[in-house]
Amino acid sequence: MLDVRDVHVHLAERLVLAGVQFQIEAGEFVGLIGPNGAGKTTLLKTILGLVTPDLGQVLVDNRPIRRGNPAIGYVPQKVHLDPDTPLRGRDFVALGLDGVRWGVPLPRRSRRERVERALGSVQALTYADAPVGRLSGGELQRLQIAQALVGEPRLLLVDEPLSNLDIRNAHEVVRLLHELARSRGMAILLVAHDLNPLLSALDKVVYLARGRSMAGRTDEVMTSESLSRLYGYPVEVMRTRGRIVVVGGPDMHLVPPEAADHAGLGEWEATTP
Amino acid sequence: MMYLDAFVHSPFWHSPQVWHALFITTSAGVVSAVVGVFIVLRGQSFAGHILTDVGATGASASFLFSINSWYGFLSFGLLAGAGMEALGKRTRGRDTATGLVLSFFMGLGALFLFLDTRVSNTADVTMSVLFGSVFTADPNTTPWLIGTSAATLLVVAAIYRPLLICSIDAEWAQARGIPVRWVGLLFMLAFVVAAEDSALAMGALLSTAFLMGPAAAGVRIAHRIGAAIGISALLAVMAAWLGVGLAYASYNWPPAGRGYPCSFLIADILFMEYLGAGMAARWRAHIRRLGGKRCT
Amino acid sequence: MHMMGVLDTLHLWLLPSGLLTTLYMWHAYVCGTIVALTATLVGYFVVLRGVAFMAHSLPKIGFAGVAGATVLQVPPLVGLLTFNLLGGLVMSTLSRRGRRDVVTALTLVLALGAGELFLTLGQAYGETAYALLFGQIVGISGPQVGQTLAVGLVTTGLWMILYRPLLFVTVARDQALARGVRERLLDNLFAILVGLVCVMTVPVVGALLGFSLLIGPVATASLVTRRGVHTLLLAGALGLAAIWLALLLAYDSGWPVGFFATTIIVLEYKVVYIGRWVKTRRALAI
């Protein structure tokens, strides 16, 4: 489904990705994990076709990627909307269906039904008619997922969906995405700086550090040997009470979520062409 | 030598209007240039816009009651300043409600100007409020203008250091025990005087040139705040004198022989100074880079 | 019975005053209607994108355009179109490069200064300046109505073409970019859209007051409803009410139309705002 082959990306004379390589099959739920500044956002943008790799290539369905590929759905980090934005939840979701096209949308039944289905699949029907600017972080997150789903993508890229949510909401979102991957046979690549809330759901982990990647099942990747090889210096992976902690890595996965979120946003802005 | 002689003995220096114009533009220019550096630091250019536009409404009203227009500018400017202080941080360009209140005052200004033309039967009030008229300004205004400008400069000098800290990081200033609220209030007062003085000299619509132009140029060239203020004031004075001189000379210029508007000339000179400052800054960075390469 | 009474009074009041029998008032009404409706359409995006400063500045640039056209003795429409469209493009380019505050302000001052110079050179002082800055309804000619209609149709057409991608990139930028929306093209086209509206507003309500027509009704409407279509309909109605009433009052009093238009628009906003506040207070009390 998605085939990332030896991707190298330079941004502003800095090598951000230096040989990233992994594959994702249909229906797989994959976590893209790594410390801040590891190049997670850049990798997402490369897959979306917003950044062109200097070396290597990205294939989707064995074809080179291009910008605006309808087979790829994308859920960006939290959007900031003014409380008075004159838009309902369903209008927001409908933009994911045909927002790219020119012209005023005509009200058609098929269109309405597809939006309705997308809203249903993220259990957002109860607030579909509420103004988007007034929704809570978790509610808006679901609408963003619906906005990506309504185009019926076969690969869904989700950028740091958990950093703005409390633990209960984070678990809900993970469960939801897991179900979607199962029921639709859709591949999901979820970016997170903390692996732990995802542990039970993930099929596979892509661990990114120093611009390089390590991919495989969680128990294969998250070992002291393999991560030490990736980092280039000894780190220790510890398992305590069902949690995995990387000790000795640049940010040990113990960064407060706000700080991590800031760094993520900054990274995004700095790399926008 | 002959040209210098002609210059010194030119009737330019014997006209009281010219001297008034020079005094007005210079004092307005200097005070705006100094206050302007802080405006640029604090990112308040939209606020300057509001102050002068509302001030213009006051000036239009003052003509109705045959009061000196400077009182109109200043009183409405203070009103607008107080309103902005009360609203706090919401006076940003994005804010629709502020924009609406502003347009209400401008509508009111339209009415006053209209009534002015009815009362005085001359439509030139519009031009003088909106675009300024330094050559025909009321001579009684000049001492007041110079006095308030000097007082404002003193206030800015008195609060210079706390103001600087507040402008760079208000939270830090608060933590350091600086009375941020009072400093802000005093600065707003200085801001109002600077904006309205330059509105009187340049007209309400072109006053932004004095408020932003020299300060923006100064900040681009200098790396220290004191130097930025000095350069800014110097550029403002240069623009003021050159502008008044050119406006005086322009009565002999084609096509109409009516003279070019003084505020237009000053605004254009300020813009060119800003462009020149940009070039100077780039040139300086280039030299520095070359120097750096040589060192390594 | 009561209703009939009101209508009768209105009728009696209108007929002798010649409001609907004077040709230029018909022109003003037609132009005002077109302006109010298109300003609502474009104002929707101005409010949504938070670019009030741009909407405030572009008409002033248009003022320089008309003044320049007077000097060169070309039709005002040519001056307006050139200056507004160019000004819009320059502004959208500059704002992308950051530092928009200072550069926009100085560019604006340059344009206003040029307008002042043109007025002086054209020997058109006072009256003309006033009409350009604050609007004038007496002078609207038949051909001008035709021009306004043409520009209005072009604006509406362009708005309809831009609607979907512009909305997408405004409310969900990252998602829209990933889906292939071309942001730079849209930014520029949007600037042209605002420029076109200013081409129409400047002759009717003037360079300084067109801004309120652009953002006022939409801001008021979005206090009440959050649904795109409803906002547009309500804002259109509010804008129309404001401009029609302003024309009526201006005709009756001889006072400038821009004054009445801005006052009514701000009053509408205040009334709705207070109404909403009272309602929420009451809901909280219960």
Side-chain angles (χ1 to χ4, degrees):
Chain A
M1 167 77 236
L2 174 69
D3 190 356
V4 177
R5 291 184 183 170
D6 194 30
V7 163
H8 289 66
V9 174
H10 282 272
L11 286 178
E13 300 176 21
R14 199 169 71 90
L15 190 60
V16 182
L17 299 181
V20 173
Q21 186 140 350
F22 62 90
Q23 277 128 29
I24 300 180
E25 297 308 322
E28 273 186 331
F29 187 31
V30 181
L32 177 61
I33 314 290
N36 295 311
K40 288 173 296 190
T41 305
T42 309
L43 180 57
L44 275 199
K45 288 168 78 174
T46 313
I47 298 171
L48 287 167
L50 296 172
V51 170
T52 319
D54 300 310
L55 200 70
Q57 62 179 158
V58 180
L59 302 176
V60 174
D61 290 332
N62 295 319
R63 265 175 307 181
I65 40 125
R66 60 187 170 83
R67 213 181 135 206
N69 188 344
I72 306 181
Y74 173 52
V75 183
Q77 294 191 13
K78 188 178 164 22
V79 287
H80 295 277
L81 289 168
D82 193 83
D84 282 337
T85 305
L87 218 58
R88 295 172 303 168
R90 59 177 77 243
D91 305 325
F92 184 76
V93 171
L95 283 172
L97 186 63
D98 52 12
V100 188
R101 277 194 242 157
W102 304 102
V104 180
L106 300 170
R108 276 204 311 270
R109 181 188 286 179
S110 62
R111 187 171 185 272
R112 209 169 49 235
E113 279 169 356
R114 287 179 72 177
V115 171
E116 200 78 10
R117 266 207 305 281
L119 284 164
S121 62
V122 298
Q123 289 127 41
L125 281 169
T126 45
Y127 47 84
D129 289 307
V132 275
R134 302 275 161 124
L135 297 178
S136 74
E139 288 169 335
L140 195 58
Q141 183 75 259
R142 281 163 189 267
L143 285 187
Q144 282 186 272
I145 295 172
Q147 195 184 44
L149 283 180
V150 73
E152 290 176 5
R154 291 184 302 110
L155 168 67
L156 192 66
L157 307 178
V158 195
D159 195 2
E160 298 268 6
L162 310 180
S163 54
N164 292 302
L165 302 179
D166 58 57
I167 296 174
R168 199 177 55 84
N169 268 315
H171 276 291
E172 284 278 295
V173 167
V174 171
R175 202 176 47 81
L176 177 74
L177 288 171
H178 192 199
E179 260 175 40
L180 285 170
R182 288 282 169 282
S183 61
R184 298 191 170 207
M186 182 172 62
I188 295 185
L189 181 64
L190 188 150
V191 177
H193 56 271
D194 185 6
L195 176 65
N196 288 303
L198 306 167
L199 270 179
S200 58
L202 288 187
D203 296 314
K204 207 183 201 177
V205 170
V206 177
Y207 197 98
L208 213 59
R210 304 177 71 213
R212 291 181 301 140
S213 64
M214 173 83 62
R217 287 205 322 274
T218 315
D219 49 352
E220 290 167 7
V221 175
M222 299 308 283
T223 62
S224 298
E225 301 84 75
S226 49
L227 285 195
S228 296
R229 216 173 327 130
L230 189 62
Y231 276 111
Y233 51 82
V235 296
E236 197 160 341
V237 177
M238 296 184 16
R239 286 159 204 269
T240 50
R241 283 186 244 153
R243 288 174 59 85
I244 298 182
V245 181
V246 181
V247 181
D251 64 4
M252 293 179 64
H253 295 170
L254 294 173
V255 198
E258 309 84 42
D261 186 34
H262 269 298
L265 275 175
E267 188 186 359
W268 176 269
E269 270 173 12
T271 52
T272 300
Chain B
M1 252 349 252
M2 209 176 75
Y3 286 110
L4 188 67
D5 205 46
F7 179 68
V8 172
H9 293 287
S10 135
F12 179 74
W13 305 108
H14 301 293
S15 151
Q17 278 107 326
V18 166
W19 279 107
H20 278 294
L22 281 176
F23 277 129
I24 292 174
T25 49
T26 309
S27 56
V30 170
V31 73
S32 307
V34 173
V35 173
V37 170
F38 291 99
I39 300 173
V40 171
L41 276 184
R42 296 161 80 98
Q44 286 182 320
S45 72
F46 195 66
H49 221 79
I50 294 171
L51 285 180
T52 48
D53 281 349
V54 175
T57 305
S60 322
S62 71
F63 276 100
L64 267 186
F65 304 106
S66 344
I67 329 172
N68 193 325
S69 65
W70 189 70
Y71 298 121
F73 269 123
L74 200 63
S75 56
F76 271 62
L78 286 172
L79 198 72
M84 279 194 288
E85 269 299 304
L87 280 175
K89 286 203 168 133
R90 286 199 289 142
T91 42
R92 299 266 164 192
R94 290 179 71 90
D95 191 53
T96 327
T98 318
L100 273 177
V101 175
L102 174 61
S103 70
F104 169 72
F105 270 100
M106 291 173 85
L108 205 61
L111 176 67
F112 289 148
L113 285 176
F114 170 78
L115 295 176
D116 287 337
T117 55
R118 279 284 180 83
V119 171
S120 65
N121 261 329
T122 54
D124 287 347
V125 178
T126 312
M127 288 305 277
S128 80
V129 168
L130 296 177
F131 294 108
S133 56
V134 278
F135 289 117
T136 53
D138 185 352
N140 295 326
T141 322
T142 316
W144 278 100
L145 206 128
I146 295 173
T148 47
S149 296
T152 306
L153 286 179
L154 283 180
V155 168
V156 172
I159 61 169
Y160 177 77
R161 265 171 301 188
L163 176 60
L164 196 56
I165 296 177
C166 291
S167 305
I168 291 165
D169 189 344
E171 276 177 33
W172 181 47
Q174 200 128 35
R176 290 274 304 270
I178 293 171
V180 177
R181 184 118 193 112
W182 280 105
V183 172
L185 216 61
L186 280 174
F187 177 71
M188 183 51 90
L189 204 63
F191 193 175
V192 169
V193 174
E196 304 312 337
D197 279 2
S198 77
L200 186 83
M202 298 284 287
L205 291 183
L206 298 184
S207 61
T208 318
F210 256 156
L211 278 176
M212 307 297 300
V219 169
R220 283 195 87 167
I221 298 177
H223 294 311
R224 275 175 310 153
I225 204 78
I229 291 176
I231 293 173
S232 165
L234 194 72
L235 289 176
V237 173
M238 263 169 57
W241 286 57
L242 202 59
V244 171
L246 285 178
Y248 183 81
S250 71
Y251 279 94
N252 305 317
W253 290 0
R258 290 189 58 170
Y260 281 47
C262 183
S263 50
F264 156 77
L265 290 167
I266 295 181
D268 273 28
I269 294 166
L270 285 168
F271 191 77
M272 279 181 234
E273 285 178 354
Y274 175 74
L275 292 183
M279 274 189 267
R282 231 168 292 146
W283 186 61
R284 191 174 151 169
H286 184 65
I287 294 282
R288 184 160 291 185
R289 213 175 305 135
L290 285 182
K293 282 226 174 91
R294 218 178 300 135
C295 287
T296 51
Chain C
M1 176 58 216
H2 182 68
M3 193 60 207
M4 280 307 288
V6 172
L7 279 180
D8 275 353
T9 329
L10 196 64
H11 194 228
L12 283 176
W13 189 38
L14 289 180
L15 262 190
S17 66
L19 180 66
L20 296 177
T21 50
T22 320
L23 193 59
Y24 74 79
M25 277 313 287
W26 269 116
H27 291 164
Y29 264 95
V30 175
C31 278
T33 306
I34 300 167
V35 166
L37 292 179
T38 46
T40 300
L41 292 180
V42 178
Y44 179 71
F45 283 109
V46 170
V47 171
L48 203 60
R49 291 167 73 87
V51 288
F53 193 59
M54 176 175 161
H56 185 86
S57 319
L58 263 185
K60 292 185 176 175
I61 291 177
F63 155 74
V66 189
T70 333
V71 173
L72 297 176
Q73 296 183 333
V74 293
L77 185 72
V78 176
L80 272 171
L81 275 173
T82 331
F83 271 63
N84 272 332
L85 299 189
L86 277 180
L89 288 179
V90 166
M91 243 179 237
S92 88
T93 312
L94 286 180
S95 63
R96 251 199 310 278
R97 290 221 222 118
R99 295 194 67 85
R100 106 170 106 183
D101 251 23
V102 173
V103 182
T104 313
L106 287 180
T107 314
L108 187 59
V109 165
L110 212 61
L112 281 167
E116 185 197 11
L117 177 70
F118 291 146
L119 283 181
T120 318
L121 292 183
Q123 313 239 350
Y125 243 67
E127 294 283 353
T128 322
Y130 186 84
L132 287 181
L133 292 168
F134 298 110
Q136 189 185 41
I137 48 167
V138 186
I140 298 176
S141 64
Q144 223 175 330
V145 177
Q147 286 168 2
T148 309
L149 187 63
V151 178
L153 286 176
V154 172
T155 312
T156 314
L158 185 61
W159 184 87
M160 285 171 78
I161 293 172
L162 293 187
Y163 178 82
R164 238 183 322 196
L166 196 58
L167 190 64
F168 199 11
V169 82
T170 305
V171 298
R173 177 171 174 264
D174 290 342
Q175 162 89 281
L177 290 184
R179 292 289 298 273
V181 167
R182 291 161 70 184
E183 193 185 27
R184 186 165 298 192
L185 177 72
L186 277 175
D187 277 353
N188 288 340
L189 287 174
F190 175 68
I192 288 179
L193 202 61
V194 179
L196 282 175
V197 170
C198 297
V199 167
M200 290 180 284
T201 51
V202 169
V204 180
V205 284
L208 296 186
L209 303 174
F211 164 67
S212 58
L213 207 54
L214 211 51
I215 63 163
V218 176
T220 311
S222 57
L223 288 176
V224 188
T225 163
R226 310 256 182 269
R227 222 180 128 175
V229 185
H230 292 181
T231 310
L232 281 173
L233 287 176
L234 184 57
L238 287 169
L240 272 185
I243 198 91
W244 282 352
L245 195 59
L247 283 171
L248 179 72
L249 291 171
Y251 181 83
D252 207 52
S253 64
W255 289 10
V257 66
F259 162 69
F260 289 114
T262 48
T263 310
I264 295 166
I265 285 169
V266 173
L267 276 181
E268 285 174 350
Y269 183 82
K270 275 288 148 200
V271 166
V272 172
Y273 188 86
I274 292 169
R276 189 176 79 153
W277 184 74
V278 169
K279 210 175 129 192
T280 45
R281 281 301 284 265
R282 218 175 262 161
L284 283 178
I286 294 166

